[in-house]
Amino acid sequence: MIALLPFEKSDFSRFKSWIGSAKELLQFAGPYFAFPLTDYQLENYIQDTKRRPFKIINTETKEIIGHCEISFEREIPRLCRILIAKNSERNKGYGRRTINELLKLLFVKENFVEADLNVYDWNSNAIRCYEGVGFRIDANVFTEVKIGTETWKSLNMRIHKSNWTASS
């Protein structure tokens, strides 16, 4: 099982250690942060009242295994900056559990009816995870970002509360 706890200043060093390159940072955080991550960027991040960042805790081992966020910058809340940090912890269902916990916060505790997220089109594992929870790709919404000589396409995925309830 997992638990979501507020991301705090005491988490900065661990968080920065998870990001080894500009590509890793872009994959995880989109263009929100600049590499290398600094305490100044993270301080601004946790003080932003339109964002609710969390650390992901494995409740069995008590280890902090990742990070996630809900952004309230738009009318529809957005799940973002979702990372299961260690490769050894991936593909164990923690991503799906994290998404379900975030949606529970939005749909049950706060009574929102829709949420969205963005994911790079080449990240098939993440897309399968999100689809497994009930998200669907909105083919009309996408963006592109340059990283070095590459162009990455970011897909938008949406979920309605009724679709999540049916799949959870």
Side-chain angles (χ1 to χ4, degrees):
M1 297 300 284
I2 60 123
L4 304 181
L5 296 176
F7 178 70
E8 304 168 313
K9 193 170 187 166
S10 61
D11 300 309
F12 288 5
S13 291
R14 177 186 318 95
F15 185 78
K16 289 187 298 185
S17 76
W18 291 339
I19 308 299
S21 70
K23 272 188 170 182
E24 286 178 2
L25 182 60
L26 184 63
Q27 177 183 351
F28 156 65
Y32 183 78
F33 294 119
F35 188 81
L37 270 173
T38 63
D39 285 355
Y40 179 76
Q41 290 179 75
L42 293 172
E43 191 70 50
N44 288 334
Y45 174 59
I46 64 172
Q47 290 179 13
D48 185 340
T49 58
K50 293 182 180 179
R51 299 182 181 283
R52 197 177 309 161
F54 300 96
K55 54 190 163 201
I56 305 166
I57 311 286
N58 177 328
T59 56
E60 292 172 9
T61 66
K62 307 297 186 227
E63 183 181 7
I64 298 171
I65 61 167
H67 182 87
C68 60
E69 172 195 328
I70 302 173
S71 170
F72 296 95
E73 291 182 299
R74 294 166 236 22
E75 216 174 284
I76 298 171
R78 175 165 287 170
L79 310 187
C80 43
R81 287 169 251 307
I82 300 163
L83 174 68
I84 302 303
K86 291 181 181 176
N87 282 334
S88 62
E89 296 300 314
R90 294 180 185 161
N91 300 312
K92 293 184 176 181
Y94 295 128
R96 181 178 270 207
R97 288 184 194 116
T98 298
I99 300 301
N100 276 316
E101 287 299 313
L102 292 170
L103 292 174
K104 188 187 304 180
L105 287 170
L106 290 174
F107 293 160
V108 177
K109 292 186 179 177
E110 303 209 16
N111 211 28
F112 284 93
V113 296
E114 191 173 20
D116 78 345
L117 56 79
N118 288 331
V119 60
Y120 291 111
D121 66 348
W122 50 262
N123 195 345
S124 55
N125 285 345
I127 292 169
R128 274 193 305 277
C129 172
Y130 304 146
E131 286 175 335
V133 174
F135 279 87
R136 296 295 170 249
I137 294 172
D138 182 345
N140 298 316
V141 181
F142 65 91
T143 57
E144 293 182 339
V145 65
K146 290 247 185 225
I147 178 81
T149 59
E150 299 177 63
T151 301
W152 291 358
K153 182 178 179 181
S154 179
L155 305 174
N156 182 263
M157 298 183 77
R158 292 179 177 263
I159 189 170
H160 191 274
K161 182 178 183 175
S162 61
N163 294 342
W164 175 70
T165 303
S167 69
S168 60

